[in-house]
Amino acid sequence: NAGVMQNPRHLVRRRGQEARLRCSPMKGHSHVYWYRQLPEEGLKFMVYLQKENIIDESGMPKERFSAEFPKEGPSILRIQQVVRGDSAAYFCASSPRSSVIGHNEQFFGPGTRLTVL
Amino acid sequence: AQKITQTQPGMFVQEKEAVTLDCTYDTSDPSYGLFWYKQPSSGEMIFLIYQGSYDQQNATEGRYSLNFQKARKSANLVISASQLGDSAMYFCAMELTGGGNKLTFGTGTQLKVEL
């Protein structure tokens, strides 16, 4: 059973370009979370999605950032018109169910390191 | 709002010794989960151990144990018999059960294990 897959592992963009980060959750997992880790900092929650629904986007910047998790295919985190401050590691995690019924371990992908030149 | 505090930016420990990494949390929600993750220099996040707020016993997973003191709102990670491969960044995180599932992370502790 493959783990959470993220691609690309490294992404370099120039200011003003678009960045698309992909996340394929573990098989059987329908919950996806995106986190951002700035250099020398802990992870910060961005968005929580289930298939075709955004459940919680309280950590997403208001502009330029969007996320989706379509019925078929991976979850996509899209950053338009990137700026240098977007340089960070972006982690995706998946879980099989809501934590309403108990321990809800999130399995993390290897991350995508975005560098904006 | 919930908050996780890790006050030790860096720690050193001798190989084969035990080490405690501190974590305190703040929440008014009675139902929550506490996690520890390890992030080696390669960057991936590795789940280590979990403690639920209603669990009566402290969690243990091999050489990892969680010293859960609910009244003090602390959830310290204890690593016994440290190994060189334990050198990494360690993050404490909290999830509010039913509160949206997102994890709130601390700023991390960089652990270095020395010979």
Side-chain angles (χ1 to χ4, degrees):
Chain A
N1 188 13
V4 178
M5 312 271 284
Q6 286 188 253
N7 68 81
R9 294 291 306 274
H10 299 273
L11 182 61
V12 179
R13 285 287 177 266
R14 296 191 182 278
R15 281 178 296 169
Q17 292 183 318
E18 179 180 287
R20 279 186 178 237
L21 288 62
R22 293 175 185 76
C23 169
S24 297
M26 286 181 70
K27 188 175 180 181
H29 288 193
S30 58
H31 300 244
V32 165
Y33 314 81
W34 285 93
Y35 294 85
R36 176 166 65 175
Q37 185 179 30
L38 294 170
E40 310 298 326
E41 293 188 13
L43 279 70
K44 296 275 195 303
F45 168 79
M46 298 181 77
V47 62
Y48 163 38
L49 310 102
Q50 294 178 26
K51 284 283 186 183
E52 299 184 280
N53 286 307
I54 296 175
I55 307 302
D56 181 353
E57 56 182 345
S58 57
M60 287 278 270
K62 294 285 186 281
E63 296 176 349
R64 303 187 298 108
F65 285 72
S66 62
E68 62 177 11
F69 189 17
K71 188 176 179 181
E72 302 290 337
S75 175
I76 306 285
L77 179 68
R78 184 178 175 214
I79 312 172
Q80 294 178 288
Q81 298 174 334
V82 295
V83 301
R84 289 223 174 98
D86 297 332
S87 295
Y90 292 83
F91 287 91
C92 167
S94 73
S95 69
R97 64 182 186 275
S98 162
S99 70
V100 171
I101 54 174
H103 173 197
N104 181 40
E105 180 187 338
Q106 294 181 18
F107 296 82
F108 281 81
T112 293
R113 270 103 187 130
L114 173 65
T115 301
V116 179
L117 301 177
Chain B
Q2 62 272 22
K3 187 179 177 183
I4 291 279
T5 302
Q6 294 180 256
T7 57
Q8 306 154 312
M11 290 280 286
F12 289 89
V13 65
Q14 295 270 323
E15 196 182 20
K16 300 178 187 173
E17 299 283 312
V19 63
T20 298
L21 306 184
D22 294 342
C23 173
T24 57
Y25 59 92
D26 187 20
T27 181
S28 56
D29 195 307
S31 183
Y32 50 88
L34 295 157
F35 298 77
W36 277 92
Y37 284 87
K38 173 183 178 182
Q39 187 178 44
S41 56
S42 50
E44 70 268 34
M45 294 289 287
I46 302 167
F47 166 75
L48 295 178
I49 196 166
Y50 166 83
Q51 180 86 42
S53 59
Y54 295 118
D55 292 344
Q56 297 295 314
Q57 307 238 344
N58 284 349
T60 60
E61 290 283 350
R63 294 187 298 111
Y64 304 109
S65 60
L66 202 151
N67 184 1
F68 182 45
Q69 297 189 41
K70 197 169 181 177
R72 297 179 61 184
K73 293 190 175 179
S74 74
N76 298 340
L77 177 70
V78 180
I79 306 175
S80 62
S82 297
Q83 302 172 357
L84 294 177
D86 294 334
S87 294
M89 195 73 163
Y90 289 80
F91 291 100
C92 181
M94 177 169 64
E95 176 195 37
L96 298 183
T97 307
N101 304 70
K102 61 191 175 192
L103 292 174
T104 299
F105 283 84
T107 51
T109 295
Q110 181 72 50
L111 176 67
K112 286 201 191 288
V113 180
E114 300 174 314
L115 289 169

